[in-house]
Amino acid sequence: MRIPCPYCGERDIHEFAYLGDATVSRPDPARNDAVQAFYEYVYLRDNPAGSFQELWYHAAGCHSWLVVTRDTRTHAIFGARLASREAS
Amino acid sequence: MQYSAFSLLKNALTGHRHWQPAWRDSEPRSQYDVVIVGGGGHGLATAYYLAKVHGVKNIAVLEKSYIGSGNVGRNTTIVRSNYLLPGNIPFYEWSMKLWEGLEQDLNYNAMVSQRGVLNLIHSDTQRDAYARRANAMRLHGVDSVLLDKDEVRKMVPFLNYENARFPIQGGMLQPRGGTVRHDAVAWGYARAGDQRGVDIIQNCEVTGFRISNGKMMGVETTRGYIGAGKVGLAVAGNTSRVATIAGLRLPIESHVLQAFVSEGIKPLIPNVITFGAGHFYISQSDKGGLVFGGDIDGYNSYAQRGNLPTLEDVCEGGMALMPMIGRIRLLRQWGGIMDMSMDGSPIIDKTPIDGLYLNAGWCYGGFKATPASGWCFAHLIARDSPHEFAAAYRMDRFRTGHMIDEKGQGAQPNLH
């Protein structure tokens, strides 16, 4: 697997560290249903077989967090964007 | 037909022309009492114990490919019960006891070899941790021996004891641990289940569930609808896929674990050796190949194949432990899909759907658990209450905070 880092270009995956699902966000602890929301956020997973948006950290490169779109059945990578752009 | 020395001799004299298939390749019937989804080790063991221990008559095992095509034929064949936590030790020790009597029980040669599992110690801290583990095992009646450096050297003199970063200072041995021929486990359970009337239905993929008022009615498959009031899932890495069809979202991620076999060499490694500092483990098959593995690749995957950085990392671990294997060529390498749970421990429990039972989350430790997993899952399905040895493997433990986290990594499955 090679990830196309927006800064560094296409690089081998041994330069990257994996975090997981990029589509979930931390719930607001002030919510009324915060206990349930945190349980789902921390422990439950969609775990799709197919296209998956996931967070990778370019540890041996530009130190950027990336949102990578990848097929979990084939490991084909369709693209990578900067996670900081997503967050702002 | 019972297998015996006599049957072997008789068939040898007639040129081995009269052996019968070990199990029937069944056609699906329209209705069963229990349907087990997944014809791997755990599913086949469950069906066997349902029939043998609980007297259930109408059982089908549905397998989307051929039986034993998944993780039961992809693991590194190691069995052991060297666990630490109270929820785990009795379960895995029961599994070890079932391994010890398995071949007589199934009338099938599974090549159970109790050659010993040796975990190496590289630091004072690790010795403390292994002393604690060895004591916990002994308190539960499991065999364990702490070895010093000289005792380890006597047993396996070929290791690199003077590695600058990870010198070997001792080891923890479980003498009753060892290896089992993994394919024979699937075949043995299939044959023994079949003899008790279990229908083994291959090339039959579950595509849907028929659920009425929260109660299980049956499963839709690629070979038509099959009715069953009780359905047990034992589908390992595909657990999330199948459970999603039933509307369940689970504390599971699928990850790929690679395994490796070298070319065959003369007998070298007498037992199973694990190099905890580098997460590398190795044994030697009876054919002579060195069988070894290490970490999962670390990213979600359903691909049944891994990538080169992990291969490199595993081989580096092997070279650090025993530099001489650098001369040996790698012959085969493959991947299996692990159902990694959020605490590294399995789930054997009922689901919110009445009549749907879940056996999942085995991470990369499912093979050794095969007999006890089948035993306890069969108990749960037949009696609707958990077996005492699997009572801690509840699905709601993540909500209630009763995790069984042997490694202490938290909800990061790629680190377990």
Side-chain angles (χ1 to χ4, degrees):
Chain A
M1 269 158 50
R2 293 169 70 83
I3 293 175
C5 174
Y7 272 130
C8 312
E10 192 177 86
R11 306 296 277 265
D12 190 273
I13 53 156
H14 80 256
E15 294 186 6
F16 296 84
Y18 185 73
L19 185 63
D21 196 342
T23 62
V24 291
S25 54
R26 192 171 182 274
D28 177 1
R31 275 166 62 169
N32 285 334
D33 63 343
V35 171
Q36 175 66 19
F38 268 93
Y39 161 66
E40 291 178 11
Y41 169 68
V42 174
Y43 293 113
L44 300 188
R45 300 286 190 273
D46 287 337
N47 195 20
S51 183
F52 189 40
Q53 301 210 43
E54 53 194 14
L55 288 165
W56 290 80
Y57 177 63
H58 199 176
C62 60
H63 291 203
S64 297
W65 280 99
L66 307 179
V67 177
V68 176
T69 309
R70 186 175 62 94
D71 191 323
T72 57
R73 294 166 304 183
T74 62
H75 298 163
I77 289 173
F78 304 115
R81 331 184 280 280
L82 291 175
S84 55
R85 294 270 165 79
E86 310 276 308
S88 60
Chain B
M1 183 184 61
Q2 282 287 108
Y3 293 149
S4 64
F6 176 72
S7 75
L8 183 63
L9 184 67
K10 191 175 122 196
N11 280 283
L13 293 173
T14 52
H16 293 297
R17 288 189 303 273
H18 304 296
W19 289 109
Q20 297 299 311
W23 62 86
R24 295 165 295 132
D25 195 15
S26 302
E27 291 296 315
R29 284 188 271 139
S30 59
Q31 182 76 30
Y32 289 94
D33 292 340
V34 179
V35 159
I36 304 296
V37 184
H42 291 224
L44 293 164
T46 304
Y48 169 67
Y49 291 123
L50 271 171
K52 186 199 169 202
V53 180
H54 302 282
V56 180
K57 297 288 180 212
N58 295 305
I59 307 168
V61 176
L62 310 184
E63 166 55 47
K64 75 178 162 79
S65 179
Y66 58 92
I67 61 163
S69 56
N71 293 344
V72 73
R74 292 169 183 269
N75 57 73
T76 44
T77 77
I78 296 163
V79 299
R80 56 185 175 84
S81 55
N82 53 1
Y83 280 74
L84 173 69
L85 298 179
N88 276 335
I89 300 181
F91 175 85
Y92 286 101
E93 178 56 13
W94 178 234
S95 208
M96 182 57 76
K97 291 204 170 92
L98 288 172
W99 284 122
E100 288 174 327
L102 186 81
E103 294 167 303
Q104 294 304 317
D105 187 32
L106 300 183
N107 178 234
Y108 203 88
N109 179 11
M111 296 165 70
V112 176
S113 166
Q114 293 181 287
R115 57 184 70 181
V117 173
L118 174 66
N119 304 118
L120 295 173
I121 293 168
H122 306 277
S123 67
D124 290 344
T125 322
Q126 221 177 8
R127 183 184 289 108
D128 289 348
Y130 273 119
R132 181 180 171 222
R133 181 175 293 259
N135 286 333
M137 290 163 64
R138 288 195 160 204
L139 286 171
H140 283 84
V142 186
D143 59 322
S144 66
V145 188
L146 271 182
L147 303 174
D148 64 21
K149 184 176 175 176
D150 289 339
E151 289 168 314
V152 174
R153 198 191 286 272
K154 205 172 162 192
M155 186 181 294
V156 279
F158 46 79
L159 302 180
N160 180 9
Y161 287 82
E162 309 306 330
N163 183 308
R165 190 167 171 207
F166 299 119
I168 294 166
Q169 298 189 358
M172 186 188 84
L173 178 72
Q174 186 187 13
R176 285 161 65 241
T179 59
V180 179
R181 171 81 202 279
H182 52 192
D183 299 312
V185 175
W187 301 332
Y189 273 120
R191 174 172 169 274
D194 175 85
Q195 286 176 342
R196 290 172 183 271
V198 173
D199 277 4
I200 296 164
I201 301 160
Q202 303 182 92
N203 300 308
C204 181
E205 183 171 356
V206 169
T207 55
F209 294 94
R210 211 174 275 183
I211 298 162
S212 172
N213 295 325
K215 184 160 176 21
M216 181 59 64
M217 308 303 290
V219 293
E220 308 282 355
T221 78
T222 49
R223 296 178 68 175
Y225 173 75
I226 300 171
K230 292 186 172 187
V231 175
L233 299 184
V235 296
N238 286 303
T239 297
S240 294
R241 271 171 131 166
V242 181
T244 301
I245 306 173
L248 301 176
R249 191 161 177 254
L250 298 177
I252 284 172
E253 284 180 14
S254 295
H255 284 256
V256 59
L257 174 67
Q258 302 190 63
F260 312 90
V261 173
S262 79
E263 59 190 327
I265 57 170
K266 288 182 180 177
L268 169 70
I269 299 173
N271 50 9
V272 179
I273 304 171
T274 80
F275 176 50
H279 203 178
F280 170 86
Y281 55 90
I282 188 165
S283 64
Q284 187 169 17
S285 79
D286 291 351
K287 283 192 290 186
L290 304 184
V291 184
F292 56 96
D295 281 313
I296 55 175
D297 270 36
Y299 45 83
N300 289 36
S301 174
Y302 284 92
Q304 289 193 324
R305 61 188 162 79
N307 274 287
L308 291 174
T310 304
L311 188 156
E312 197 174 4
D313 183 59
V314 170
C315 291
E316 280 171 0
M319 288 287 287
L321 178 67
M322 32 202 304
M324 63 180 173
I325 64 169
R327 298 280 189 90
I328 298 172
R329 282 166 294 191
L330 196 63
L331 191 66
R332 294 188 291 129
Q333 163 261 358
W334 64 92
I337 303 305
M338 311 292 118
D339 39 341
M340 303 298 293
S341 69
M342 294 298 137
D343 60 358
S345 295
I347 296 165
I348 301 178
D349 204 355
K350 296 191 248 188
T351 70
I353 297 159
D354 187 16
L356 181 65
Y357 304 84
L358 181 67
N359 177 330
W362 292 98
C363 301
Y364 42 75
F367 177 66
K368 75 180 86 66
T370 304
S373 166
W375 185 279
C376 295
F377 198 36
H379 181 103
L380 176 74
I381 292 171
R383 305 200 182 174
D384 262 319
S385 69
H387 190 279
E388 58 172 322
F389 295 153
Y393 298 151
R394 298 167 60 105
M395 200 155 78
D396 67 358
R397 68 176 183 268
F398 303 97
R399 188 194 296 273
T400 59
H402 294 86
M403 267 71 81
I404 313 165
D405 196 339
E406 286 267 339
K407 230 177 156 187
Q409 295 283 24
Q412 285 293 326
N414 60 335
L415 302 180
H416 281 304

